């Protein structure tokens, strides 16, 4: 059998196994007692809140970077080497 075909079949089988495991996990989640459901929901909310904070932090960092870069470029007496260093490290 061609190695590429064999690799493709193996990947498909692994994908099917992953789907089965995911479905089992979802079914188990549905059968959890109330306390564990609440804990899972609380953890999900906490993770979403943290992800939102990290996204906001990344956006602020990017805005600050753009603003500082413009300020450096508009400054007088700065050379190409300094700008190249700025672009690489900041």
């Amino acid at each position: 059998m061609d190695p590429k075909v064999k690799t493709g079949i193996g990947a498909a089988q692994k994908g099917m196994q992953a789907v089965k495991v995911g479905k089992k996990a979802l079914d188990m989640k549905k059968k959890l007692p109330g306390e564990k459901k609440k804990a899972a929901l609380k953890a999900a909310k906490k993770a979403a809140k943290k992800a939102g904070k990290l996204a906001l932090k990344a956006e602020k960092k990017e805005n600050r970077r753009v603003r500082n870069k413009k300020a450096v470029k508009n400054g007088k007496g700065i050379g190409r080497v300094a700008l190249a260093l700025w672009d690489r490290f900041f």
Side-chain angles (χ1 to χ4, degrees):
M1 184 180 281
D2 187 22
K4 290 183 180 179
V5 173
K6 196 172 186 180
T7 304
I9 291 172
Q13 287 174 341
K14 287 179 185 175
M16 292 300 292
Q17 287 173 352
V19 169
K20 286 179 186 176
V21 170
K23 188 173 181 188
K24 284 181 185 176
L26 188 60
D27 290 341
M28 286 175 61
K29 183 184 171 201
K30 288 179 182 177
K31 294 178 184 177
L32 284 175
E35 290 179 17
K36 289 188 178 179
K37 281 185 181 178
K38 286 180 183 177
L41 184 62
K42 188 175 179 182
K45 283 182 181 179
K46 188 175 180 182
K49 187 176 179 181
K50 187 174 182 180
K53 282 184 178 180
L54 288 175
L56 185 63
K57 187 176 180 182
E59 185 180 353
K60 283 182 180 179
K61 184 177 180 181
E62 182 62 27
N63 288 341
R64 195 175 321 122
R65 181 175 174 254
V66 170
R67 187 182 63 232
N68 289 345
K69 193 172 183 180
K70 283 181 182 177
V72 168
K73 283 187 179 181
N74 291 336
K76 301 216 178 213
I78 189 157
R80 287 183 305 196
V81 174
L83 282 176
L85 289 172
W86 181 268
D87 286 342
R88 181 174 175 137
F89 296 107
F90 298 102

Coordinates of all heavy atoms in Angstrom, one line a residue:
M1 N 0.8 -1.2 0.0 CA 0.0 0.0 0.0 C 0.9 1.2 0.0 O 2.0 1.3 0.6 CB -0.9 0.0 1.2 CG -1.9 1.1 1.3 SD -2.9 1.1 2.7 CE -4.1 -0.1 2.2
D2 N 0.5 2.3 -0.7 CA 1.2 3.5 -0.8 C 1.3 4.2 0.6 O 0.3 4.2 1.3 CB 0.5 4.4 -1.8 CG 1.3 5.7 -2.1 OD1 2.5 5.7 -1.9 OD2 0.6 6.7 -2.5
P3 N 2.5 4.6 1.0 CA 2.7 5.2 2.3 C 1.8 6.4 2.6 O 1.3 6.6 3.7 CB 4.1 5.6 2.4 CG 4.8 4.9 1.3 CD 3.8 4.6 0.3
K4 N 1.5 7.2 1.5 CA 0.6 8.4 1.7 C -0.8 8.0 2.0 O -1.5 8.5 2.9 CB 0.7 9.3 0.5 CG 2.0 10.0 0.3 CD 1.9 10.9 -0.9 CE 3.3 11.6 -1.1 NZ 3.3 12.5 -2.2
V5 N -1.2 6.9 1.3 CA -2.6 6.4 1.5 C -2.7 5.8 2.9 O -3.7 6.1 3.7 CB -3.0 5.4 0.5 CG1 -4.3 4.7 0.8 CG2 -3.0 6.0 -0.9
K6 N -1.7 5.1 3.3 CA -1.6 4.5 4.7 C -1.7 5.6 5.8 O -2.4 5.5 6.7 CB -0.4 3.6 4.8 CG -0.4 2.7 5.9 CD 0.8 1.8 5.9 CE 0.7 0.7 6.9 NZ 1.9 -0.2 6.9
T7 N -0.9 6.6 5.6 CA -0.9 7.8 6.5 C -2.3 8.4 6.6 O -2.7 8.8 7.6 CB 0.2 8.8 6.1 OG1 1.4 8.1 6.0 CG2 0.3 9.9 7.1
G8 N -2.9 8.6 5.4 CA -4.2 9.3 5.4 C -5.2 8.4 6.1 O -6.1 9.0 6.9
I9 N -5.2 7.1 5.9 CA -6.1 6.2 6.6 C -5.9 6.3 8.1 O -6.9 6.3 8.9 CB -6.0 4.8 6.0 CG1 -6.5 4.7 4.6 CG2 -6.8 3.8 6.9 CD1 -6.3 3.4 3.9
G10 N -4.7 6.3 8.5 CA -4.3 6.4 9.9 C -4.8 7.7 10.6 O -5.4 7.7 11.7
A11 N -4.7 8.8 9.8 CA -5.1 10.1 10.3 C -6.7 10.1 10.5 O -7.2 10.6 11.4 CB -4.7 11.2 9.4
A12 N -7.3 9.5 9.5 CA -8.8 9.4 9.5 C -9.3 8.6 10.7 O -10.2 9.0 11.4 CB -9.3 8.9 8.2
Q13 N -8.6 7.5 11.0 CA -9.0 6.6 12.1 C -8.8 7.4 13.4 O -9.6 7.3 14.3 CB -8.2 5.3 12.1 CG -8.6 4.4 11.0 CD -7.7 3.2 10.9 OE1 -6.6 3.2 11.4 NE2 -8.2 2.1 10.2
K14 N -7.7 8.1 13.5 CA -7.4 8.9 14.7 C -8.4 10.0 14.9 O -8.9 10.2 16.0 CB -6.0 9.5 14.7 CG -4.9 8.4 14.9 CD -3.5 9.0 14.9 CE -2.5 8.0 15.0 NZ -1.1 8.5 14.8
G15 N -8.8 10.6 13.8 CA -9.9 11.6 13.9 C -11.2 11.0 14.4 O -11.9 11.6 15.2
M16 N -11.5 9.9 13.9 CA -12.8 9.2 14.3 C -12.7 8.8 15.8 O -13.7 9.0 16.5 CB -13.0 7.9 13.5 CG -13.4 8.2 12.0 SD -14.8 9.2 11.8 CE -16.1 8.1 12.4
Q17 N -11.5 8.4 16.3 CA -11.4 8.1 17.7 C -11.6 9.3 18.5 O -12.2 9.3 19.6 CB -10.0 7.5 17.9 CG -9.9 6.1 17.4 CD -8.4 5.5 17.6 OE1 -7.5 6.3 17.9 NE2 -8.3 4.3 17.3
A18 N -11.0 10.5 18.1 CA -11.1 11.7 18.8 C -12.6 12.1 18.9 O -13.1 12.6 19.9 CB -10.3 12.8 18.1
V19 N -13.3 12.0 17.8 CA -14.8 12.3 17.8 C -15.5 11.5 18.8 O -16.3 12.0 19.6 CB -15.3 12.2 16.4 CG1 -16.9 12.3 16.4 CG2 -14.8 13.2 15.4
K20 N -15.2 10.2 18.8 CA -15.9 9.3 19.8 C -15.6 9.7 21.2 O -16.5 9.7 22.1 CB -15.4 7.8 19.5 CG -16.0 7.2 18.3 CD -15.5 5.8 18.1 CE -15.9 5.2 16.8 NZ -15.4 3.9 16.5
V21 N -14.3 10.0 21.5 CA -13.9 10.4 22.8 C -14.7 11.7 23.2 O -15.2 11.8 24.3 CB -12.4 10.6 23.0 CG1 -12.0 11.2 24.3 CG2 -11.7 9.2 22.9
G22 N -14.7 12.6 22.3 CA -15.4 13.9 22.6 C -16.9 13.7 22.8 O -17.5 14.3 23.7
K23 N -17.5 12.8 22.1 CA -18.9 12.5 22.3 C -19.2 11.8 23.6 O -20.1 12.2 24.3 CB -19.4 11.6 21.2 CG -20.9 11.4 21.2 CD -21.4 10.6 20.0 CE -22.9 10.5 20.1 NZ -23.5 9.7 19.1
K24 N -18.3 10.9 24.0 CA -18.4 10.3 25.3 C -18.3 11.3 26.4 O -19.0 11.3 27.4 CB -17.3 9.2 25.5 CG -17.6 7.9 24.8 CD -16.5 6.9 25.0 CE -16.7 5.7 24.2 NZ -15.5 4.7 24.4
A25 N -17.3 12.3 26.3 CA -17.1 13.3 27.3 C -18.4 14.2 27.4 O -18.8 14.5 28.5 CB -15.9 14.1 27.0
L26 N -19.0 14.5 26.3 CA -20.2 15.3 26.3 C -21.3 14.6 27.0 O -22.1 15.2 27.7 CB -20.6 15.7 24.8 CG -21.7 16.7 24.7 CD1 -21.3 18.0 25.4 CD2 -22.0 16.9 23.2
D27 N -21.4 13.3 26.7 CA -22.5 12.5 27.3 C -22.3 12.4 28.8 O -23.2 12.5 29.6 CB -22.5 11.1 26.7 CG -23.1 11.1 25.3 OD1 -23.7 12.1 24.9 OD2 -22.8 10.1 24.5
M28 N -21.0 12.2 29.2 CA -20.7 12.2 30.6 C -21.0 13.5 31.3 O -21.5 13.5 32.4 CB -19.2 11.8 30.9 CG -18.9 10.4 30.5 SD -17.2 10.0 30.7 CE -16.8 10.4 32.3
K29 N -20.8 14.6 30.6 CA -21.1 15.9 31.2 C -22.6 16.1 31.4 O -23.0 16.7 32.4 CB -20.5 17.0 30.3 CG -20.7 18.4 30.8 CD -20.3 19.4 29.8 CE -20.7 20.8 30.3 NZ -20.8 21.8 29.2
K30 N -23.3 15.6 30.5 CA -24.8 15.7 30.7 C -25.3 14.9 31.9 O -26.3 15.2 32.5 CB -25.5 15.2 29.4 CG -25.3 16.1 28.2 CD -26.0 15.6 27.0 CE -25.8 16.5 25.8 NZ -26.4 15.9 24.6
K31 N -24.6 13.8 32.2 CA -25.0 13.0 33.3 C -24.4 13.4 34.7 O -24.7 12.8 35.7 CB -24.6 11.5 33.1 CG -25.3 10.9 31.9 CD -24.8 9.5 31.6 CE -25.5 9.0 30.4 NZ -25.0 7.6 30.0
L32 N -23.7 14.5 34.7 CA -23.0 14.9 36.0 C -24.1 15.4 37.0 O -25.1 15.9 36.6 CB -22.1 16.1 35.7 CG -20.7 15.8 35.1 CD1 -20.0 17.1 34.8 CD2 -19.9 14.9 35.9
P33 N -23.8 15.2 38.2 CA -24.7 15.8 39.2 C -24.7 17.3 39.2 O -23.8 17.9 38.6 CB -24.2 15.2 40.6 CG -23.1 14.3 40.2 CD -22.8 14.4 38.8
G34 N -25.7 17.9 39.8 CA -25.9 19.3 39.8 C -24.7 20.1 40.3 O -24.3 21.1 39.7
E35 N -24.0 19.7 41.4 CA -22.9 20.4 41.9 C -21.7 20.4 40.9 O -21.1 21.5 40.7 CB -22.4 19.7 43.2 CG -23.3 19.9 44.3 CD -22.8 19.2 45.6 OE1 -21.6 18.9 45.6 OE2 -23.6 19.0 46.5
K36 N -21.5 19.3 40.2 CA -20.4 19.3 39.3 C -20.7 20.1 38.0 O -19.8 20.7 37.4 CB -20.1 17.8 38.9 CG -19.4 17.1 40.0 CD -18.9 15.7 39.6 CE -18.2 15.0 40.7 NZ -17.7 13.7 40.3
K37 N -22.0 20.1 37.6 CA -22.4 21.0 36.5 C -22.1 22.4 36.9 O -21.6 23.2 36.1 CB -23.9 20.8 36.2 CG -24.2 19.5 35.4 CD -25.6 19.5 35.0 CE -25.9 18.2 34.2 NZ -27.3 18.2 33.9
K38 N -22.5 22.8 38.1 CA -22.3 24.2 38.5 C -20.8 24.5 38.5 O -20.4 25.6 38.1 CB -22.9 24.4 39.9 CG -24.4 24.5 39.9 CD -24.9 24.8 41.3 CE -26.4 24.8 41.4 NZ -26.9 24.9 42.7
A39 N -20.0 23.6 39.0 CA -18.5 23.8 39.1 C -18.0 24.0 37.7 O -17.1 24.8 37.4 CB -17.8 22.7 39.8
A40 N -18.5 23.1 36.7 CA -18.0 23.2 35.4 C -18.4 24.5 34.7 O -17.6 25.1 34.0 CB -18.5 22.0 34.6
L41 N -19.6 24.9 35.0 CA -20.1 26.2 34.5 C -19.3 27.4 35.0 O -18.9 28.3 34.3 CB -21.6 26.4 34.8 CG -22.3 27.6 34.2 CD1 -22.2 27.6 32.7 CD2 -23.7 27.7 34.7
K42 N -19.0 27.3 36.3 CA -18.2 28.4 37.0 C -16.8 28.4 36.4 O -16.3 29.5 36.1 CB -18.2 28.1 38.5 CG -17.5 29.2 39.3 CD -17.6 28.9 40.8 CE -17.0 30.0 41.6 NZ -17.0 29.7 43.0
A43 N -16.2 27.3 36.1 CA -14.9 27.2 35.6 C -14.9 27.8 34.1 O -14.0 28.5 33.7 CB -14.4 25.8 35.6
A44 N -15.9 27.4 33.4 CA -16.0 28.0 32.0 C -16.2 29.5 32.0 O -15.6 30.2 31.2 CB -17.2 27.3 31.3
K45 N -17.0 30.0 32.9 CA -17.2 31.5 33.0 C -15.9 32.1 33.4 O -15.5 33.2 32.8 CB -18.2 31.8 34.1 CG -19.6 31.6 33.6 CD -20.6 32.0 34.7 CE -22.1 31.8 34.2 NZ -23.0 32.2 35.3
K46 N -15.1 31.5 34.3 CA -13.9 32.1 34.8 C -12.9 32.1 33.6 O -12.1 33.1 33.4 CB -13.3 31.2 35.9 CG -12.1 31.8 36.6 CD -11.7 31.0 37.8 CE -10.5 31.5 38.5 NZ -10.1 30.7 39.6
A47 N -12.8 31.0 32.8 CA -11.9 30.9 31.7 C -12.3 31.9 30.6 O -11.4 32.6 30.1 CB -12.0 29.5 31.1
A48 N -13.6 32.1 30.4 CA -14.0 33.1 29.4 C -13.6 34.5 29.9 O -13.2 35.4 29.1 CB -15.5 33.1 29.2
K49 N -13.8 34.8 31.2 CA -13.4 36.1 31.7 C -11.9 36.4 31.6 O -11.5 37.4 31.1 CB -13.8 36.2 33.2 CG -13.7 37.5 33.8 CD -14.2 37.5 35.2 CE -14.0 38.9 35.9 NZ -14.5 38.9 37.3
K50 N -11.1 35.3 31.9 CA -9.7 35.5 31.8 C -9.3 35.7 30.3 O -8.4 36.5 30.0 CB -9.0 34.2 32.3 CG -7.5 34.3 32.4 CD -6.9 33.1 33.1 CE -5.4 33.2 33.2 NZ -4.8 32.1 33.9
A51 N -9.9 35.0 29.4 CA -9.6 35.1 28.0 C -9.9 36.5 27.5 O -9.2 37.1 26.7 CB -10.3 34.1 27.2
G52 N -11.0 37.1 28.0 CA -11.4 38.4 27.6 C -10.4 39.4 28.1 O -10.0 40.4 27.4
K53 N -9.9 39.2 29.4 CA -8.9 40.1 29.9 C -7.6 40.1 29.1 O -7.0 41.1 28.9 CB -8.6 39.8 31.4 CG -9.7 40.3 32.4 CD -9.3 40.0 33.8 CE -10.3 40.5 34.8 NZ -9.9 40.2 36.2
L54 N -7.2 38.8 28.8 CA -6.0 38.7 28.0 C -6.1 39.3 26.6 O -5.1 39.9 26.1 CB -5.6 37.2 27.9 CG -5.1 36.5 29.2 CD1 -4.9 35.0 28.9 CD2 -3.8 37.1 29.6
A55 N -7.3 39.2 26.0 CA -7.5 39.8 24.7 C -7.4 41.3 24.8 O -6.8 42.0 24.0 CB -8.8 39.4 24.1
L56 N -8.0 41.9 25.9 CA -7.9 43.3 26.1 C -6.5 43.8 26.3 O -6.1 44.8 25.8 CB -8.8 43.7 27.2 CG -9.0 45.2 27.5 CD1 -9.7 45.9 26.4 CD2 -9.8 45.4 28.8
K57 N -5.8 43.0 27.1 CA -4.4 43.4 27.4 C -3.5 43.4 26.1 O -2.7 44.3 25.9 CB -3.8 42.4 28.4 CG -2.5 42.7 28.9 CD -2.1 41.7 30.0 CE -0.7 42.0 30.5 NZ -0.3 41.0 31.5
A58 N -3.8 42.3 25.3 CA -3.0 42.3 24.0 C -3.4 43.4 23.1 O -2.5 44.0 22.4 CB -3.3 40.9 23.3
E59 N -4.6 43.8 23.1 CA -5.0 44.9 22.2 C -4.4 46.2 22.7 O -3.9 47.0 21.9 CB -6.6 45.1 22.3 CG -7.1 46.1 21.3 CD -8.6 46.2 21.4 OE1 -9.3 45.4 22.0 OE2 -9.2 47.2 20.8
K60 N -4.4 46.4 24.0 CA -3.8 47.6 24.6 C -2.3 47.7 24.3 O -1.7 48.7 23.9 CB -4.0 47.7 26.1 CG -5.3 48.1 26.5 CD -5.4 48.2 28.1 CE -6.8 48.6 28.6 NZ -6.8 48.6 30.0
K61 N -1.7 46.5 24.4 CA -0.2 46.4 24.1 C 0.1 46.8 22.6 O 1.0 47.6 22.3 CB 0.3 45.0 24.4 CG 1.8 44.9 24.2 CD 2.2 43.5 24.6 CE 3.7 43.3 24.4 NZ 4.1 41.9 24.8
E62 N -0.8 46.3 21.7 CA -0.6 46.6 20.3 C -0.8 48.1 20.0 O 0.0 48.7 19.3 CB -1.5 45.7 19.5 CG -1.4 45.9 18.0 CD 0.0 45.6 17.4 OE1 0.7 44.7 18.1 OE2 0.5 46.2 16.4
N63 N -1.8 48.7 20.6 CA -2.1 50.1 20.4 C -1.0 50.9 21.0 O -0.5 51.9 20.3 CB -3.4 50.5 21.1 CG -4.6 49.9 20.4 OD1 -4.5 49.6 19.3 ND2 -5.7 49.9 21.1
R64 N -0.4 50.5 22.1 CA 0.7 51.3 22.7 C 1.9 51.2 21.8 O 2.6 52.1 21.6 CB 1.0 50.7 24.1 CG 1.9 51.5 25.0 CD 2.1 50.9 26.4 NE 0.8 50.4 26.9 CZ 0.7 49.1 27.3 NH1 1.7 48.3 27.2 NH2 -0.4 48.6 27.8
R65 N 2.1 50.0 21.3 CA 3.3 49.8 20.4 C 3.2 50.7 19.1 O 4.2 51.3 18.7 CB 3.3 48.3 20.0 CG 4.4 47.9 19.1 CD 4.4 46.4 18.8 NE 5.4 46.1 17.9 CZ 5.2 45.7 16.6 NH1 4.0 45.7 16.2 NH2 6.2 45.4 15.8
V66 N 2.0 50.7 18.5 CA 1.8 51.6 17.3 C 2.0 53.0 17.7 O 2.7 53.8 17.0 CB 0.4 51.3 16.8 CG1 0.1 52.3 15.7 CG2 0.3 49.9 16.2
R67 N 1.4 53.5 18.8 CA 1.5 54.8 19.2 C 3.0 55.2 19.5 O 3.5 56.3 19.1 CB 0.7 55.1 20.5 CG 0.6 56.5 20.9 CD -0.2 56.7 22.2 NE 0.4 56.0 23.3 CZ -0.2 55.2 24.1 NH1 -1.4 54.9 23.9 NH2 0.5 54.6 25.1
N68 N 3.7 54.3 20.2 CA 5.1 54.6 20.5 C 6.0 54.6 19.2 O 6.9 55.4 19.1 CB 5.7 53.6 21.5 CG 5.1 53.8 22.9 OD1 4.5 54.8 23.2 ND2 5.2 52.8 23.7
K69 N 5.6 53.7 18.3 CA 6.4 53.7 17.1 C 6.2 55.0 16.3 O 7.2 55.5 15.7 CB 5.9 52.5 16.3 CG 6.8 52.1 15.1 CD 6.3 50.8 14.5 CE 7.2 50.3 13.4 NZ 6.7 49.1 12.8
K70 N 5.0 55.5 16.2 CA 4.7 56.8 15.5 C 5.5 57.9 16.2 O 6.1 58.8 15.6 CB 3.3 57.1 15.5 CG 2.5 56.3 14.5 CD 1.0 56.7 14.6 CE 0.2 55.8 13.6 NZ -1.2 56.2 13.7
A71 N 5.5 57.9 17.6 CA 6.2 58.9 18.3 C 7.7 58.9 18.0 O 8.4 59.9 17.8 CB 6.0 58.8 19.8
V72 N 8.3 57.7 17.9 CA 9.7 57.6 17.6 C 10.0 58.0 16.2 O 11.0 58.8 15.9 CB 10.2 56.1 17.8 CG1 11.6 55.9 17.2 CG2 10.2 55.8 19.3
K73 N 9.1 57.7 15.2 CA 9.4 58.0 13.8 C 9.2 59.5 13.7 O 9.9 60.1 12.8 CB 8.4 57.3 12.9 CG 8.8 55.9 12.7 CD 7.9 55.2 11.6 CE 8.4 53.8 11.4 NZ 7.6 53.1 10.4
N74 N 8.4 60.2 14.4 CA 8.2 61.6 14.3 C 9.2 62.4 15.0 O 9.3 63.6 14.8 CB 6.8 62.0 14.8 CG 5.7 61.5 13.9 OD1 5.9 61.2 12.7 ND2 4.5 61.3 14.4
G75 N 10.0 61.7 15.9 CA 11.1 62.4 16.6 C 12.2 62.9 15.7 O 12.4 62.2 14.7
K76 N 12.8 64.0 16.0 CA 13.9 64.5 15.1 C 15.2 63.8 15.5 O 15.5 63.5 16.6 CB 14.0 66.0 15.3 CG 12.7 66.7 15.0 CD 13.0 68.0 14.3 CE 11.6 68.6 14.0 NZ 11.6 69.3 12.8
G77 N 16.0 63.6 14.5 CA 17.4 63.2 14.7 C 17.5 61.7 14.9 O 18.5 61.2 15.4
I78 N 16.5 60.9 14.6 CA 16.6 59.5 14.7 C 17.0 58.9 13.4 O 16.5 59.3 12.3 CB 15.3 58.9 15.2 CG1 15.5 57.4 15.6 CG2 14.2 59.0 14.2 CD1 14.5 56.9 16.6
G79 N 17.9 57.9 13.5 CA 18.4 57.3 12.2 C 17.8 56.0 11.8 O 16.9 55.5 12.6
R80 N 18.1 55.6 10.7 CA 17.5 54.3 10.2 C 17.9 53.1 11.0 O 17.1 52.2 11.2 CB 18.0 54.1 8.7 CG 17.4 55.0 7.7 CD 17.9 54.6 6.4 NE 19.3 54.6 6.3 CZ 20.1 54.7 5.2 NH1 19.5 54.7 4.1 NH2 21.4 54.7 5.3
V81 N 19.1 53.1 11.6 CA 19.5 52.0 12.4 C 18.7 52.0 13.7 O 18.2 50.9 14.1 CB 21.0 52.2 12.8 CG1 21.4 51.1 13.8 CG2 21.9 52.1 11.6
A82 N 18.4 53.1 14.3 CA 17.6 53.2 15.5 C 16.2 52.7 15.2 O 15.6 51.9 16.0 CB 17.6 54.6 16.1
L83 N 15.7 53.1 14.0 CA 14.3 52.6 13.7 C 14.3 51.1 13.4 O 13.4 50.4 13.8 CB 13.8 53.3 12.4 CG 13.3 54.8 12.6 CD1 13.0 55.4 11.3 CD2 12.1 54.8 13.6
A84 N 15.4 50.6 12.8 CA 15.4 49.1 12.6 C 15.5 48.4 13.9 O 14.8 47.4 14.1 CB 16.6 48.8 11.7
L85 N 16.3 48.9 14.8 CA 16.3 48.3 16.1 C 15.0 48.3 16.8 O 14.5 47.4 17.5 CB 17.4 48.9 17.0 CG 18.8 48.7 16.6 CD1 19.8 49.5 17.4 CD2 19.2 47.2 16.8
W86 N 14.3 49.5 16.7 CA 13.0 49.6 17.3 C 12.0 48.6 16.8 O 11.3 48.0 17.5 CB 12.5 51.1 17.1 CG 11.2 51.3 17.8 CD1 9.9 51.2 17.2 CD2 10.9 51.7 19.1 NE1 9.0 51.5 18.1 CE2 9.5 51.8 19.3 CE3 11.7 51.9 20.2 CZ2 9.0 52.1 20.5 CZ3 11.1 52.3 21.4 CH2 9.8 52.4 21.5
D87 N 12.0 48.5 15.4 CA 11.1 47.6 14.8 C 11.3 46.1 15.2 O 10.4 45.4 15.3 CB 11.2 47.7 13.2 CG 10.6 48.9 12.7 OD1 9.8 49.5 13.4 OD2 10.9 49.3 11.6
R88 N 12.6 45.8 15.4 CA 12.9 44.4 15.7 C 12.6 44.1 17.2 O 12.1 43.0 17.5 CB 14.4 44.2 15.5 CG 14.8 42.8 15.8 CD 16.2 42.5 15.4 NE 16.5 41.1 15.9 CZ 17.1 40.2 15.2 NH1 17.5 40.6 14.0 NH2 17.4 39.0 15.6
F89 N 12.8 45.0 18.1 CA 12.7 44.7 19.5 C 11.5 45.2 20.2 O 11.2 44.9 21.4 CB 14.0 45.1 20.3 CG 15.2 44.3 19.8 CD1 16.2 44.9 19.0 CD2 15.3 43.0 20.1 CE1 17.3 44.2 18.6 CE2 16.4 42.3 19.7 CZ 17.4 42.9 19.0
F90 N 10.7 46.1 19.6 CA 9.6 46.8 20.3 C 8.3 46.7 19.5 O 8.3 46.6 18.3 CB 9.9 48.2 20.6 CG 11.1 48.4 21.6 CD1 12.3 48.8 21.1 CD2 10.9 48.1 22.9 CE1 13.4 48.9 22.0 CE2 12.0 48.2 23.8 CZ 13.2 48.6 23.3

